[in-house]
Amino acid sequence: MTSNTPTPSDQALLTLFSEKRDPSAFQLLADRHINWIYSTALRLTQNPALAEDVTQGVLLALAQKAPKLARHPSLPAWLFRATRYAAHTLLRSERRRKRHEGANMPPSQSAPDTDLHWSELSPRLDAAVARLSTQDQQAILLRFYQQLTHSGIAAALNITEEAARKRVDRAL
């Protein structure tokens, strides 16, 4: 894509992938969302390998459900919920497996206080985002998970920059 070409929306890419099975459309979607999906999964699982499994599962679900999701009002909100669901399901499965094997959890190593506080706080933040309305959730996901500026949020949501700023502030 050249710098003059506008970036296609998530819905446009989903439609292109669904109707024409265009792998480059799916690749653009994956590239756009993979980092924050992985970060969310890592916060929830506290394990890089499990976070990779969750991320792969969410992207697979995205590919399978692309035709239906092309009409979804907020792909980031759907991805966020799918990531939380996949992480919780995988963690539950891992606990069952370990209990079945009779394996004990390895002793935890001392972590700096900031890591300890973050590990306690991050699941609460994700839970709070999950309770937001779809519009507010979308604004927060775009701002902090995808790290878009207020003008980027405005373009993604087709609203003014001031409206984007207010939506993010209200959601916070």
Side-chain angles (χ1 to χ4, degrees):
M1 251 187 268
T2 65
S3 59
N4 296 340
T5 306
T7 305
S9 69
D10 289 341
Q11 282 68 29
L13 291 170
L14 280 168
T15 300
L16 186 60
F17 176 70
S18 299
E19 293 175 359
K20 299 193 176 158
R21 303 311 276 175
D22 182 350
S24 64
F26 188 80
Q27 186 64 50
L28 280 171
L29 273 172
D31 290 346
R32 184 179 291 174
H33 297 287
I34 196 167
N35 289 335
W36 73 264
I37 292 170
Y38 175 79
S39 295
T40 301
L42 184 59
R43 280 194 311 279
L44 293 168
T45 63
Q46 302 288 309
N47 180 314
L50 293 179
E52 288 175 10
D53 290 347
V54 168
T55 302
Q56 186 176 23
V58 169
L59 292 176
L60 179 60
L62 175 61
Q64 292 170 339
K65 298 180 182 204
K68 179 177 156 189
L69 290 172
R71 295 181 304 280
H72 195 279
S74 172
L75 181 63
W78 183 88
L79 289 168
F80 180 72
R81 283 191 300 278
T83 302
R84 286 177 47 85
Y85 178 79
H88 291 301
T89 300
L90 184 60
L91 287 172
R92 194 170 40 248
S93 173
E94 283 292 303
R95 281 191 298 269
R96 265 191 240 120
R97 183 185 60 77
K98 285 182 180 181
R99 195 170 40 240
H100 184 329
E101 292 173 351
N104 293 327
M105 296 291 289
S108 62
Q109 297 176 342
S110 298
D113 285 345
T114 55
D115 288 345
L116 201 101
H117 294 299
W118 178 246
S119 68
E120 293 172 4
L121 183 61
S122 64
R124 292 180 185 181
L125 287 173
D126 285 335
V129 171
R131 287 190 302 269
L132 292 172
S133 70
T134 300
Q135 278 189 333
D136 289 348
Q137 191 179 76
Q138 189 174 24
I140 293 297
L141 292 171
L142 290 170
R143 178 70 180 107
F144 297 104
Y145 288 60
Q146 292 184 281
Q147 300 177 339
L148 293 181
T149 63
H150 288 102
S151 61
I153 296 168
L157 300 179
N158 200 22
I159 58 176
T160 66
E161 187 172 343
E162 183 60 27
R165 189 178 314 279
K166 286 181 182 179
R167 192 172 289 177
V168 170
D169 290 345
R170 181 186 66 227
L172 285 174

